[in-house]
Each structure stands twice: as C-alpha cells, then as structure tokens.
Amino acid sequence: MKTRVVRVDPQRPDPAVLAEAGAAIRRGELVAFPTETVYGLGADALNPKAVARLFEVKGRPPDNPVIVHVAGVGEVMEVARPDPRGRWAGLAERFWPGPLTLVLPRREQVPDEVTGGLETVAVRIPRHAVALGLIRAAGRPVAAPSANRSGRPSPSRAEHVLADLEGFIEWVLDGGPTAVGVESTVLDLTCEPPMVLRPGGVTVEALEEALGQVRVHPAVIGAAWGAAGAAAEAGVEAEVGVGAEGGGVAAQVREASELLQRPRSPGLKYRHYAPEAPVVVLEGSPEAVAAAIRRRVEGGQAGRLGLFITEQTLRLLLQAWSSLPGGVAVFCSGDRSRPETVARRLFEGLRTLDRERPRLILAEAVEGRGLGLAVNNRLRKAAGGKVERCDGLP
C-alpha cells in the first residue's frame, strides 16, 4: 500500500483536501492527522471493522480503549451519556476545544472495539484546525489513538508517523509539529471524586480549580506502578503485604492492580512511549543528575549512551567536561523550569536518540507539577518503571 502524504496549513487547511480525507474515513480507511497534542490515527468510530483494522495496524492490545474525537459539544452526547453529577458540560465549556479527554458512560451504538468492552467511552474535542476540519468533513465521530506502532514514542511530527506506519495506512495529513507534545489529560467522571487516569495537556491543578477535588490514579505518579503494573500485564493480582510503612502504599498498589486489569484509559496498562533502547529515568536536582551521569561515563561503564537532559544539566556537564566524551549522544530536552518546553520535545528526543543506537538512554525527570507530571509519567512508562533516584529529589 502506498501512503498518501499531503502537506496542509495547520491554521487554514485546504477544504478540498479535508473533504477527500473525510471521505476516506467514511470508506473505512485510516487517516493520520495532527492535533494540538500528538498526531492521531483516525478511523470511523462507529465502524467496527475500521476500528479493528486500526488496532491491527498499530499492534494495539484489544482491551486498550481509544479516544473518540468529535468536532462540537453537541456531538458528545451522540456517543456518550452525561456523568452522574452532570459535570461534563462545565468542563467542556472551560477546557474544550483542548487537550482534555472525559470518560463518560457510553451510548449503545459505540462499538466494543472502541471501548475495550467497557461501559464507558473516552471523548474529547481537539484544538486544531486540521483535526476539527477532518472530523467535520468525515461527518462521523473519529476514533484516534496516537499514530504510531503500539508502545513506541508518540508522533509529534508527520515524519514520526511515516517512520512507524508508512505503507500500512492510506493517508497522512502533514500539519507540521504539534504544539503540546504529549497526549491529552484523561479524566474519569464516572467515579467519585473524578480521577485523572492519564496526565496531559490540562494540568491536575487546573482540574482541581474547576472541580474542587480530583484524585490521581496511583499508576500515574509511579508509586504503585512497579508491582501493580507487572501484575496487571501478567493478568494476576498484585500480592502486597502491609509492612512497617503502613497500609497506604499497599492500598495504592491494590487499587492500581484492580484498575489496570481493565483500563478505562489509554496509557495505563501497557508499556508505552518506549524507544528501542532501554531507558532509565534519573530523578533529582540538575547537580545530582549531572553527577550521576558523570559517575557512569567516567567510570568507563557507560558504553554508547544517550542523554535526554535539560539545559541546566547539560550546562553543568559541559562545565565539567569541556566537550562531550566519545560515544555519548545528547538531546537537550528544554528548560527544566518550563516543563512545557520539555513536553514539546519529549517524543522527538527519544526518537532522535534511538537513531544513534545507544546501549542505554538516561532521561532526566523534571518537577512533578503542572505539565511536569505528564512528562514524568511518559518517561517512567518509556522506562518500564526503571527509575534511579539521585541525591536531592526534584
């Protein structure tokens, strides 16, 4: 199959191109397109065969639900029912169009292929002229996970889509780099209090301001991911005793294990966002992270190494080394004090370093507030939970 790649203006896409791509969606074809977060791989959300092919092309596990994208608030209730407390409308007015996905009770016409067999559906309105134009042209709700092979770093550029899916999908609408760089926040409104299942472009702090109280899934922050995530992927319950640390961690792991058995959101159960090279996340101050990297390199045990590090840590390393040692590849992730800069470069950085074929990628975490929570979540998932805590935690 030849994949058709069409460059489109991200602000004013050609209506004729959108009409053609929309017709392709109606025919059951797959169209990759930009959103404000990452590139999505679109299929007719009400066509079970098209959605099943989307899963096949991505290599996506069938119990991993996908997000349904619509172009207007009036279309949300075509695929979903209001949440028990009716909070969705207020959140829609405040955050849509934008990088917030709401988990709501599903309508009967939404296929099981979209929801993973759950009685809930994840829905959002993207904030991107190409995405909205495509959905309107299709005249259908569009199921659209990230446009990459399952488990790989998400695509923030059309080139990333083609690296994974060229020859397997019909269309790529190339609208240039995405603005946010990480996926949407997923908020489950079917539980009380509402629960963040995946951090993303809308921060937990903004949701707390809007709702008063919000819980964060234990797997998001990584505290319970190791035991619960491994257990869930193996299909068994995590066995965790209550020791000297008390019942808090044990309860978190137990809850995470139960939720991960049947995930209500993308990005929960499986390893995601991962390059071919193994990843270790370094958590600590720039000084501590730089010292940990120097110990590895100067001890002669690093081998070919990739570094995904902030401007602050890179500056410290260059002060110590004058120039980078041989065999070390660096991708500067951005300004540590501005996590939005790191988010925009996250997946591009992992893909760029992977092309250097390193033995290992060391990735620096950032402050775990605001968009930094989403950055750290993606890094931990890419690393499969492998985290090295340096002196002076962030």
Side-chain angles (χ1 to χ4, degrees), residues 154-178:
S154 297
S156 55
R157 296 176 179 271
E159 305 93 275
H160 303 160
V161 178
L162 293 169
D164 282 5
L165 299 177
E166 187 170 14
F168 294 92
I169 63 177
E170 284 81 5
W171 280 71
V172 176
L173 297 178
D174 180 358
T178 60

Side-chain angles (χ1 to χ4, degrees), residues 30-32 38-43 50-62 64-67 113 143-155 160-161 164-169 183 198 266-267 270-273 351:
L30 302 182
V31 178
V38 298
Y39 274 72
L41 182 59
V51 178
R53 180 165 167 252
L54 183 155
F55 273 74
E56 180 183 357
V57 164
K58 278 182 60 71
R60 187 181 181 93
N64 196 9
V66 295
I67 294 169
E113 286 81 356
S146 56
N148 58 294
R149 293 284 187 186
S150 189
R152 293 274 293 148
S154 297
H160 303 160
V161 178
D164 282 5
L165 299 177
E166 187 170 14
F168 294 92
I169 63 177
E183 297 83 354
R198 182 180 73 184
Y270 299 95
R271 186 177 182 227
H272 285 271
Y273 323 117
R351 285 177 176 268

Side-chain angles (χ1 to χ4, degrees), residues 174-193:
D174 180 358
T178 60
V180 178
V182 294
E183 297 83 354
S184 62
T185 300
V186 179
L187 181 68
D188 188 349
L189 289 178
T190 67
C191 58
E192 185 57 37

Side-chain angles (χ1 to χ4, degrees), residues 9-303:
D9 187 319
Q11 305 297 328
R12 298 178 183 82
D14 184 342
V17 171
L18 295 179
E20 277 193 81
I25 293 280
R26 291 195 299 276
R27 290 194 299 269
E29 297 176 8
L30 302 182
V31 178
F33 61 95
T35 75
E36 77 278 27
T37 57
V38 298
Y39 274 72
L41 182 59
D44 181 351
L46 302 183
N47 181 340
K49 290 184 179 178
V51 178
R53 180 165 167 252
L54 183 155
F55 273 74
E56 180 183 357
V57 164
K58 278 182 60 71
R60 187 181 181 93
D63 66 343
N64 196 9
V66 295
I67 294 169
V68 176
H69 294 65
V70 296
V73 173
E75 301 165 28
V76 174
M77 290 298 114
E78 295 177 12
V79 295
R81 300 181 186 279
D83 57 293
R85 297 200 176 189
R87 289 169 292 203
W88 82 271
L91 291 168
E93 183 177 358
R94 185 161 181 165
F95 295 110
W96 281 350
L100 176 66
T101 293
L102 299 179
V103 175
L104 297 165
R106 68 186 273 195
R107 294 277 182 186
E108 292 77 8
Q109 62 263 36
V110 179
D112 285 347
E113 286 81 356
V114 168
T115 68
L118 299 174
E119 292 306 312
T120 55
V121 63
V123 61
R124 88 174 184 103
I125 302 175
R127 189 180 65 232
H128 197 290
V130 176
L132 291 172
L134 174 65
I135 296 165
R136 293 185 184 115
R140 303 278 200 279
V142 174
S146 56
N148 58 294
R149 293 284 187 186
S150 189
R152 293 274 293 148
S154 297
S156 55
R157 296 176 179 271
E159 305 93 275
H160 303 160
V161 178
L162 293 169
D164 282 5
L165 299 177
E166 187 170 14
F168 294 92
I169 63 177
E170 284 81 5
W171 280 71
V172 176
L173 297 178
D174 180 358
T178 60
V180 178
V182 294
E183 297 83 354
S184 62
T185 300
V186 179
L187 181 68
D188 188 349
L189 289 178
T190 67
C191 58
E192 185 57 37
M195 180 179 286
V196 174
L197 302 181
R198 182 180 73 184
V202 172
T203 66
V204 172
E205 292 84 352
L207 293 173
E208 287 174 337
E209 183 180 333
L211 295 173
Q213 185 181 9
V214 173
R215 291 187 64 205
V216 178
H217 189 296
V220 165
I221 56 176
W225 170 254
E233 293 197 24
V236 298
E237 276 191 37
E239 295 182 4
V240 182
V242 180
E245 296 182 357
V249 173
Q252 277 192 334
V253 173
R254 203 170 293 114
E255 179 185 32
S257 181
E258 292 169 358
L259 288 167
L260 289 168
Q261 295 296 326
R262 297 195 73 194
R264 295 195 293 272
S265 165
L268 267 178
K269 182 173 179 180
Y270 299 95
R271 186 177 182 227
H272 285 271
Y273 323 117
E276 295 293 333
V279 177
V280 173
V281 178
L282 301 181
E283 292 187 344
S285 66
E287 293 78 9
V289 171
I293 292 170
R294 288 180 60 192
R295 284 194 296 271
R296 284 177 181 263
V297 174
E298 293 169 5
Q301 299 177 350

